[in-house]
Structure formats: structure tokens, C-alpha cells
Amino acid sequence: MKNLLFTLACCGMLIMISHAQHQNIEIGPALGYGIPGEPAVCMNPANPDEIMVGAMVNNYYTSTDGGYTWQHGTLSSTWGVQADPVILCDNAGRFYYLHLPDVIQRVVCHRRDNITVPWSQEASVAFNGTHDVDKEWATYDPVNDRIYLSWTYFDTWGSSNPNDSSCIYISWSGDGGQSWADPVRISDEKGDAQGGNYSMHGSYPATGPNGEVYVAWWGPEGLMFDRSLDMGTTWLTEDIRVTGQHVNWIYGIPGVNLGVSFPVISCDRSGGPSNGNIYITWADQRNG
């Protein structure tokens, strides 16, 4: 089995393969009006040679030889394809591509039954007809064979009206993305609706070794965390403030148009000494 280290760069869409010498492989050149952005990558846990990458606006790339060669395709949807690609793979080797559509009032979930066949299923999630949706992310729970999807509901995305707000919700599917549970609100408090440092934004779910569900996100009071021990039905009565203070997660970086750092959460399910440990990573400029 190959030992691989993946490095994704929006500006080059490169995969770096770590052997005795590092080999950079370009998996996607500039297409159409610009360079593919917001890349998401997933490996089939049952067959690590199968890898899929999704990138804005509607690109996907597949490899069946551990990342050495790649095939490119484009995704289409009844509702259109706009942004925020997420790639998953389940225990059965089925791949999922989730994204925002042209009108950001839902999340769209596509499925293909293995990496080589066409996309054969499309479902709508998070649509309630009144709210905008942004920054969805999803994770797969191999214990209960469930997909969890979290996102932000905005009364109106980008609104400076103080009466408009944002909050974090979650839903799940137990039938391979065909149907989804009614959304459950996670965040106890609300943020503003501007989509910036004082909104509820950038939620990211993960699952534990016993099917626990964890979610981290940014809020006006900093990095927030919540958890469910009953497969997403109930959550803590008070969200945990991880940083204990506000953090500006949008910031300037010399030579870069915009710096955005959404949190990434993961849980050790190895069964080893660190089994069950929860990890959250993010970047900020509080210390320079």
C-alpha cells in the first residue's frame, strides 16, 4: 500500500506524493474563467487508491492509482452548481459531492455508487424557502452508516439589518443521501447576517468511535463547540466556548486577497491510546 501525503493548493491544484522524493502532480489546470478553487479531497477508506477531489465551480477529479493519474469531469445539477464543494465516501465505496446551488437556499447532494460510474442520484437538503444557506460541510459516520451535514442559516446573507441573524443547523441521512432528517438547530445564540467575523459561520462536523457527533464553528464569542450522544437528536444546553474570546477569522495576508480560516474538527477513531480524542485546528492572527 502506498504512503501518501496530500497537499491541495487552490492556485495550482497540486497533489504532493511523499516517497523518497516528493513528486508534484498537477491534477487540474485553469479552466474557463479561472483556477479551480475551494478544493475538497476524499479517499475511499476501503481502497486508498481511489481518490476524488472537488473544486469550484463544478469540477471533480478522480484517481484510481493512488493519485498518479487523474480524470476530470464537471458536475451539473437541477438547481445549478456554485460553490463550497464537499466530497465524502462511505463504507460501500459510494462517493458523494455536496455543494451550494445557484440560489443559495439549499444544499445539493449527489451520489455515485463507485468512483468509475456516473452520478446517479441528486437530493436537496436544508431548503425551507425562507433562509439563505452558506458554508455547509459534511462528514460520514462509519459506525451508524450516516452522513451528517451542518450549515449556517441566514435570514438574508450579507444583510446589515440588525433584525437579521445567523445560526448553525444540522441534518443527517441514513439511506445514502436519498432522504434527510428535519434540520436541528445547534447554536444556542445567533450571530449577525453579514457573513463575517460576527456571524455564526463555518461549521464543521465530525463523529467519534461510538457514533458521537461533534460540531465546531465560528461565532461572535469565538470558536464554538457542541456535541450529541444520541446521533444528532439532542445537544448540550449551552455551547462550549473553545477560545473563550472573539477571534477575527477573516484577516489580511500579504500577497493574498483574503485570509479566511474556518475551523476543522476531527476525532480519533483508531482504537489506540488516543481513541476518542477530539482535535480542532484553525488559524488566526492574535499572536502575529
Side-chain angles (χ1 to χ4, degrees):
M1 182 180 296
K2 305 177 183 69
N3 294 317
L4 301 179
L5 171 66
F6 291 93
T7 300
L8 285 171
C10 291
C11 59
M13 288 297 293
L14 300 178
I15 291 287
M16 184 172 70
I17 301 179
S18 178
H19 291 285
Q21 294 181 341
H22 296 294
Q23 180 181 1
N24 293 327
I25 297 175
E26 183 180 69
I27 68 170
L31 299 168
Y33 67 85
I35 296 170
E38 299 186 356
V41 60
C42 185
M43 183 183 294
N44 182 351
N47 181 2
D49 279 341
E50 295 184 354
I51 310 165
M52 182 177 291
V53 176
M56 284 181 60
V57 170
N58 62 341
N59 300 290
Y60 67 91
Y61 308 83
T62 58
S63 174
T64 57
D65 59 5
Y68 288 96
T69 61
W70 293 85
Q71 299 294 319
H72 171 251
T74 56
L75 194 72
S76 62
S77 168
T78 303
W79 297 281
V81 185
Q82 183 187 139
D84 295 353
V86 179
I87 306 293
L88 297 177
C89 185
D90 65 16
N91 284 338
R94 299 178 297 193
F95 280 85
Y96 302 84
Y97 191 128
L98 298 95
H99 62 87
L100 295 182
D102 293 340
V103 178
I104 56 168
Q105 290 191 335
R106 73 184 79 227
V107 177
V108 183
C109 176
H110 303 259
R111 191 186 84 191
R112 63 197 309 178
D113 289 338
N114 62 63
I115 200 168
T116 62
V117 301
W119 300 102
S120 58
Q121 178 181 295
E122 180 182 48
S124 170
V125 192
F127 178 75
N128 66 10
T130 60
H131 288 88
D132 290 337
V133 176
D134 196 23
K135 262 322 155 216
E136 91 291 355
W137 199 262
T139 191
Y140 174 68
D141 173 21
V143 177
N144 297 299
D145 192 27
R146 269 191 170 192
I147 301 170
Y148 290 93
L149 172 72
S150 64
W151 66 89
T152 300
Y153 267 147
F154 289 87
D155 289 334
T156 301
W157 190 94
S159 171
S160 58
N161 186 334
N163 295 320
D164 288 337
S165 62
S166 57
C167 49
I168 305 298
Y169 275 75
I170 195 167
S171 179
W172 53 87
S173 173
D175 58 6
Q178 297 180 69
S179 61
W180 293 81
D182 292 336
V184 173
R185 179 174 162 179
I186 300 177
S187 57
D188 299 329
E189 305 295 330
K190 292 185 177 182
D192 67 27
Q194 296 184 46
N197 284 316
Y198 288 88
S199 297
M200 295 292 184
H201 215 352
S203 65
Y204 200 110
T207 62
N210 301 304
E212 305 93 336
V213 188
Y214 306 117
V215 183
W217 69 92
W218 288 122
E221 297 183 345
L223 180 62
M224 310 301 291
F225 170 88
D226 205 344
R227 65 105 177 100
S228 173
L229 303 181
D230 55 8
M231 300 172 66
T233 301
T234 59
W235 297 78
L236 294 173
T237 55
E238 185 174 348
D239 301 329
I240 295 174
R241 293 158 176 79
V242 178
T243 54
Q245 61 180 304
H246 175 79
V247 175
N248 286 331
W249 50 270
I250 302 175
Y251 42 76
I253 299 175
V256 178
N257 288 335
L258 180 67
V260 176
S261 173
F262 292 118
V264 176
I265 185 170
S266 185
C267 183
D268 191 319
R269 300 188 305 221
S270 67
S274 298
N275 190 61
N277 282 5
I278 302 166
Y279 305 89
I280 307 176
T281 61
W282 72 94
D284 65 56
Q285 291 184 333
R286 286 178 295 172
N287 296 310

